[in-house]
Amino acid sequence: MTVRRDLQEPARCRPDLVIGREELFAAAREQLGRGGSVLLHGPAGIGKSTVLRALAAEYAGTARTVLRCSATESESHLPFLALADLLGLVLDEVSGKLPDAQRTALESALTGRGESTLQRDGLALRLAVLSALRALAAEGPVLMVADDLQWLDPASAELLGFAARRLGDFPVRLLCAARTEGQEYDDHLRASPPGTLALRLGPLTRTHVSALLDERGYPGLPRSTVRDIHRTSGGNPLFALELGRALAENPVPPRPGEPLPVPTSLRALVLHRLDMLSADARRTLLVASAGARPTRALLHAAGRTDAEAETAQAAALGLLATDPEGPTVRFAHPLISAALYAEASAQERRDAHAALSTAASDPIERARHLALATTGTDPEAAARLAEAAALARDRGAPAVAASLGLLAARHTPADGDPGPEELRLTAAEDALTAGESDLARDIARDVLTRAVSAAARVRAWMVVIDAAGQAMSEVDAVFPQALSDAGDDPRLRALVRYQLAWRALLVEGEMDKGREEAAHAAGLAARAGDRRTELLALAFQAHMETLMGHPDAPTTIKRALREPQDPQVACDHNGIGAVRFRWLLMSDQLAEARTTISSLLRAVRRRGMAESEVHYVRFLAETELRSGSCGRALDLARESLRLARDSGIGESASAMLTSLAEAAGGDLGRALALARESAERAEEDGDVMYLSRALAALGHAHLVAGDAGAAVRALRRARELEHGIGITDPARGRWQGDLAEALVRVGELAEAEDVIEVTRVQALRLGRESVLAVLDRAEALVRAARGERDAALAQLTSVQDRLAKLGYGLEEARAAFALARLRTGRPGPTTYDEAARLFRRCRALPWLRQVEETAAASTALPVGEPAELDALEGLAAMERQVAALVMEGATNREIAARLFISVKTVEATLTRVYRKLGIRSRVDIVRLAAGRRV
């Protein structure tokens, strides 16, 4: 069909709704923007048509004529059908511009009148299509949009290819899509203009699948379910949406260990070749689909004696991936396995699992298959499943342990020991360890509907609270119920009091109250002999005391490090190992901090502790950032953010740290966006702790970007929040130097001095050497702004040396940059080379660009002579400096850069200079200087 621009319907698909295709969209935009053509290709359901419609909607407005066609397999045998779709509505417009023979051939092909064929009218038809497109292009740009090129009738494909290769400089763009399984798109390029950009659409990430499901009406799915949808769909958006729809329509969710329900529509799509298999081969594939890692040897052990021949037959039909050298039986797409399993009857599935329960070599797999082959309660199966869950836990596979624990609970009799509720709670705790907080919460809520014992109920409440993460305000109503269930039992009350310590910090923003609650919890736990809870409470108490600058912090850390230790708590992100790391980092012991956090990260990865992994990757990124390894820090921060978004854990904290890393070594626009995202998430969660850090990151990004006013606003609020919480150790957020520098730039020197002095008192008390060095750097900027340039230069030189010795590479480079800017315009050599070298060593690209821009702007300006400066008697130091630089010919922006103040401050200072000297403009200052020279 052809649509002229004035007849187009409003686009139904906006580009911003195309999820997970940002880079591809950018490449297509660039190609179309310069008049080129684009071919989108990929497998069925991958989203080609969606992207095609979005691009067409965006670029249709730039064309005078838009020609469209969409082919189908059932109509691909009809000659000239696609050509009729494209040119049918413009035939009247172009026919009069064609030679008679061409017009006759084209009208006959498009209208069906006569019997035009490529064999009889080949040349006339080819030239007619070419002439028609040239005639349309002569009136204005033409955009041809063609979907499903693989179903184009051969005649239309031949004619379009002929024309496309000969259009030359005529403004005709082709935007098309074709289904391909691999990279075989060359045939489709023959029907496209030369230079067409071929873009293959690949699978979506789990994060993008989650966003797609939310956007298309399936929000709020548990992350474990989204993970299963992503794995089963292989990242194919059509498959993912169909699986989401099937789940939404299915009132009973899949049981643990079972695959997702596969709708009939998808079964038909991927299993249309299944009828070509023999019955035995189909049973063999069912056994393979039921196995976790099927091999031909496993199939043999499960009784499939002709597995080699049957899998070879399936591979020939495209159901299995061909890998003759490898032992693994791998399906061509994960959905084929899921669909095959869904297609089988319940008895057929149980038979397959029964065969695998004896054939599998791994005890965990044997137990899982036994459970899925068993119906009803079975104490023996339950015991084997509980043992398998413990083994999975020891192997560092808590997600597997959670699944096996739920299966064990299902097969455990009500009077079993342990009982089904205890097994479910253990599974919920395993799910928390694996980062599956949604699953953990659902299990705990289910237990609470039936459990009557105080211990089980309190344990379930603890899971509900932990599953809330930073958003603890959302479960505020839980605490009174948990305390009521705990009664006078010191062990149970210790559990609740420990969580109340977190609530005091995250919800109420009262650090001292949190410390008191943690100390109370530690005492109760010690009395009850619960060392695990005691260690967690002591670690929390030590963390609060560290941030508060409390003198008892070292003593509490030592208490928490005493034996016996709980191995799980020792490496947990809320355990004493993490607290000790923070202490080392805040105490400028960067090398030991790096060693400590690297060891903790290895430990939690071995144990499969997903939440701790998110935090520890971020901690390692922060360590590298402090050390000035900006490239490494950026890579780690981005990894932490990816893990956080995949798991839904610590997203605000990871966005905050990634913002700092982007500002140091990446992209400033992204740094600002991530800092705002972090602040918004913290606000939504009611998390004042991370809100202050997010605001500090936002202020830093604004400062690096050159917006000192915005930096001051963000950092002032961070200061207010930390004061309200009770944080006194400046090494926690290290924003004070940034705030002082931003205040200097906006001309608020008195406030800058106050920030420096107040912070210095705490830093001296706690021995925070790097903080003191950064404060001295900020003080040097204050002195420079007051006209004390020699003192400022001496102080900055000392600061750079101290920061270098402490190992703070980025801060050292910032001091060198400040030195270079301060030396500009003074007698003697001036160079930015040292600052550039240091920033380059750190891979601090945003800062390096600043150095290059400042060096280019500070072309050697003549220095004012003493006689000229005599004319400025009576002015304050800052006013004299600004006026002297005006005499040298510096612009307001150059003056601001050299004096570390804002352009607005320069303008306000000049106003005072005019008033004191009795002049009206900067021109009068120049005249004054010229008069003194004469």
Side-chain angles (χ1 to χ4, degrees), residues 398-399 429-436 608-611 647 649:
E429 290 160 355
D430 284 329
L432 277 178
T433 301
E436 304 286 0
M609 299 169 68
E611 183 171 5
S647 62
I649 295 168

Side-chain angles (χ1 to χ4, degrees), residues 11-216:
R12 296 181 181 179
C13 182
R14 302 200 319 270
D16 58 337
L17 296 184
V18 179
I19 293 168
R21 307 295 186 192
E22 291 78 9
E23 291 185 9
L24 181 140
F25 229 95
R29 277 194 180 107
E30 183 179 353
Q31 175 77 352
L32 292 169
R34 57 173 175 251
S37 297
V38 172
L39 167 66
L40 306 169
H41 68 100
I46 203 67
K48 302 179 298 297
S49 297
T50 300
V51 175
L52 183 83
R53 288 194 297 269
L55 285 168
E58 184 170 325
Y59 282 91
T62 66
R64 175 185 178 272
T65 306
V66 179
L67 309 175
R68 301 176 188 267
C69 75
S70 183
T72 62
E73 184 177 11
S74 62
E75 298 171 341
S76 61
H77 66 286
L78 300 174
F80 308 123
L81 182 60
L83 192 66
D85 283 343
L86 287 167
L87 298 178
L89 294 182
V90 293
L91 181 58
D92 292 342
E93 179 180 345
V94 300
S95 60
K97 302 173 183 178
L98 304 180
D100 290 344
Q102 293 181 22
R103 181 174 64 253
T104 300
L106 186 59
E107 288 177 349
S108 178
L110 297 186
T111 62
R113 295 191 296 271
E115 296 182 0
S116 180
T117 65
L118 276 180
Q119 288 73 24
R120 193 183 70 185
D121 303 316
L123 181 58
L125 266 176
R126 287 174 171 82
L127 293 175
V129 173
L130 176 60
S131 299
L133 291 175
R134 285 176 173 173
L136 290 171
E139 300 297 325
V142 176
L143 176 66
M144 288 198 293
V145 183
D147 201 0
D148 284 317
L149 281 187
Q150 73 277 2
W151 304 131
L152 227 62
D153 62 276
S156 295
E158 169 63 25
L159 293 170
L160 289 174
F162 176 88
R165 291 189 294 272
R166 290 165 175 80
L167 282 168
D169 294 332
F170 280 86
V172 178
R173 289 175 294 177
L174 180 62
L175 174 59
C176 55
R179 181 185 301 180
T180 57
E181 291 304 322
Q183 296 290 333
E184 68 285 2
Y185 54 87
D186 290 348
D187 288 344
H188 302 301
L189 283 177
R190 293 173 193 157
S192 306
T196 295
L197 176 65
L199 296 171
R200 179 170 178 79
L201 278 74
L204 298 179
T205 65
R206 190 201 308 184
T207 302
H208 290 141
V209 165
S210 178
L212 178 69
L213 291 166
D214 288 347
E215 177 65 38
R216 301 300 173 86

Side-chain angles (χ1 to χ4, degrees), residues 718-730:
R719 177 177 57 180
E720 292 168 5
L721 284 172
E722 292 204 355
H723 177 74
I725 297 169
I727 296 174
T728 60
D729 193 329

Side-chain angles (χ1 to χ4, degrees), residues 795-813:
Q795 192 168 21
L796 283 172
T797 302
S798 170
V799 165
Q800 183 181 344
D801 182 60
R802 287 157 58 197
L803 288 168
K805 289 177 180 176
L806 289 168
Y808 284 77
L810 183 58
E811 299 294 353
E812 176 196 356

Side-chain angles (χ1 to χ4, degrees), residues 257 286-294 298 302 341 349-375 381 384-385 388 404 407 410-411:
L286 175 60
V287 174
S289 72
R293 292 173 297 277
L298 177 65
Y341 190 91
R349 296 179 200 173
R350 284 196 293 272
D351 290 344
H353 286 296
L356 289 167
S357 69
T358 57
S361 59
D362 185 83
I364 292 176
E365 277 301 291
R366 288 200 301 271
R368 184 178 75 88
H369 289 302
L370 176 62
L372 295 172
T374 304
T375 57
R384 285 181 58 183
L385 284 162
L404 292 168
L407 286 170
R410 195 174 83 200
H411 292 293

